[in-house]
Amino acid sequence: MSSPAINADVSPYDRLKALGIVLPPAPSPIANFVTHIQEGNMLYLSGQGPREEDGYMHTGKVGGYVSVEEAYKHARLTGINLLAVMHSALGDLRRVKRVVKLLGMVNAVPDFADHPSVINGCSDLLINVFGEAGNHARSAVGFSSLPGNITVEIEAIISLKD
């Protein structure tokens, strides 16, 4: 995964602004869990889905009536929601040292095989926001269903600056 050269002196907020992204409020959990846990210099983010700011959730089977291109956009939106949780948890995205790992889950038809292209929507966003610190390890896997029939769910592990 290569990333474009990004000036390390530019804040994640400046990069978000350049991308035309305004962070929404962090989504509330939909069940009995919390959105994040900080343990030492590690931040563990619970899975987020493709929730619009008005609460609308994108649903359906990728490879069925949801295209890879649509699902890529859903994964990007999920990344924005992860950033909103990070901002809420940390108070400042400049505290992020590195995006360590993503687990990307795709609600896909049984013969779908392009899960990485879908989850790239989130990966590309994080690299654009954090530069080299946004490069991460990742799993992109298919599931027969996800909660509420959402198209994607992504969780993250983040290391924090001292």
Side-chain angles (χ1 to χ4, degrees):
M1 212 177 342
S2 65
S3 63
I6 296 177
N7 184 342
D9 296 330
V10 178
S11 82
Y13 298 103
D14 291 335
R15 294 182 189 134
L16 284 166
K17 185 176 181 181
L19 293 167
I21 297 170
V22 175
L23 289 181
S28 299
I30 61 170
N32 188 17
F33 64 91
V34 294
T35 59
H36 66 280
I37 295 287
Q38 183 177 340
E39 184 64 33
N41 283 349
M42 299 300 289
L43 182 67
Y44 299 86
L45 301 179
S46 295
Q48 291 293 322
R51 176 187 284 170
E52 298 285 352
E53 193 170 348
D54 66 4
Y56 177 81
M57 296 289 277
H58 294 276
T59 61
K61 292 280 188 189
V62 180
Y65 63 88
V66 178
S67 71
V68 171
E69 295 77 16
E70 290 171 306
Y72 174 97
K73 291 176 186 172
H74 299 169
R76 184 178 189 274
L77 175 59
T78 300
I80 292 169
N81 290 328
L82 287 166
L83 289 167
V85 172
M86 277 185 239
H87 173 76
S88 176
L90 302 173
D92 191 337
L93 292 176
R94 289 173 285 236
R95 291 187 57 204
V96 172
K97 179 178 180 181
R98 165 162 226 101
V99 178
V100 176
K101 176 103 171 33
L102 294 183
L103 170 59
M105 298 159 270
V106 180
N107 183 5
V109 297
D111 61 346
F112 185 72
D114 203 9
H115 308 88
S117 293
V118 170
I119 302 304
N120 279 347
C122 183
S123 294
D124 293 347
L125 173 69
L126 294 176
I127 291 165
N128 285 326
V129 171
F130 294 113
E132 183 61 32
N135 279 322
H136 50 270
R138 183 182 87 179
S139 298
V141 295
F143 283 73
S144 63
S145 68
L146 288 174
N149 199 35
I150 59 176
T151 52
V152 296
E153 181 175 348
I154 304 171
E155 62 181 48
I157 301 171
I158 310 297
S159 67
L160 308 175
K161 295 175 181 172
D162 293 324

